[in-house]
Amino acid sequence: PAVNSDLQGLLTTDFYRLATATLVLVGIVLVLLLRAVVAPLYLLGTVVLNYFAALGLGVLVFQYGFGHEIAWPVPLMAFILLVAVGADYNMLVISRLREESTRNMRVGVLRTVVSTGSVITSAGLIFAASMFGLMLGSVDIMVQAGFIIGCGLLLDTFVVRTLTVPAIAALLRERSWWPQRPISHH
């Protein structure tokens, strides 16, 4: 219908603006909470890459597998949800990492992964399961959103939070907290 077409046009036009505004606002919150610039940059980067990976899986399954286009509201819904949840999990991990890394970043990374792993894994699995539950519906938008967001949550839980963020933090060490002075006392 014409209304759907108009709405799709507006949403497509606004997607980049909304995505940019979401990232800027979440980035500002992360900078203020962490009092750093570098860590928020890689935290946002991992969230965006996770979104694209989940959307790519959705395209593979629905467009190439089943021959159905991804419904136009799905990418924006997935983006907002995955950025919100990813930033939330990131904040939990990086805050704990900062506490655990006052003397040695590598030891801090290991302690952080051990101490937050079960909480993040449980939360991610529960949220992903509820999103995959949407796939039982008969509306394409629900099925696609459930699959893409569920996959994004699993990737976030098992790849981004468990491997990627800790690895980047271990590589960057004290530079993660720039512009603050180093907190490590080797």
Side-chain angles (χ1 to χ4, degrees), residues 35-54:
R35 295 178 307 281
V37 174
V38 176
L41 286 175
Y42 67 75
L43 296 177
L44 282 177
T46 60
V47 168
V48 170
L49 288 173
N50 183 59
Y51 163 75
F52 283 121

Side-chain angles (χ1 to χ4, degrees), residues 3-181:
V3 172
N4 259 1
S5 178
D6 290 346
L7 230 127
Q8 182 177 356
L10 285 171
L11 193 60
T12 301
T13 305
D14 288 346
F15 179 81
Y16 298 109
R17 205 172 326 153
L18 291 168
T20 302
T22 301
L23 289 174
V24 167
L25 291 171
V26 169
I28 289 169
V29 169
L30 287 172
V31 166
L32 293 173
L33 290 173
L34 294 172
R35 295 178 307 281
V37 174
V38 176
L41 286 175
Y42 67 75
L43 296 177
L44 282 177
T46 60
V47 168
V48 170
L49 288 173
N50 183 59
Y51 163 75
F52 283 121
L55 189 60
L57 283 170
V59 168
L60 276 174
V61 168
F62 292 103
Q63 286 184 199
Y64 293 108
F66 297 122
H68 297 281
E69 290 284 317
I70 297 290
W72 55 270
V74 172
L76 182 60
M77 284 190 315
F79 184 83
I80 303 263
L81 249 155
L82 290 174
V83 168
V85 171
D88 192 28
Y89 287 176
N90 267 333
M91 200 57 218
L92 176 68
V93 169
I94 211 75
S95 296
R96 185 61 181 254
L97 177 64
R98 183 174 232 165
E99 291 170 15
E100 296 286 356
S101 302
T102 54
R103 293 185 185 247
N104 184 315
M105 183 62 100
R106 293 189 119 169
V107 171
V109 167
L110 291 172
R111 285 184 180 158
T112 298
V113 170
V114 168
S115 65
T116 62
S118 62
V119 173
I120 288 176
T121 302
S122 300
L125 285 172
I126 290 166
F127 199 2
S130 63
M131 289 296 104
F132 285 133
L134 291 174
M135 293 176 63
L136 299 174
S138 56
V139 179
D140 276 353
I141 292 173
M142 279 178 39
V143 173
Q144 292 174 0
F147 179 81
I148 291 170
I149 296 167
C151 286
L153 291 166
L154 290 180
L155 284 169
D156 190 71
T157 300
F158 292 108
V159 178
V160 176
R161 248 26 80 225
T162 320
L163 301 171
T164 310
V165 169
I168 294 170
L171 288 170
L172 291 177
R173 298 178 184 254
E174 296 80 20
R175 291 180 294 254
S176 286
W177 315 125
W178 185 85
Q180 291 187 358
R181 290 192 306 202

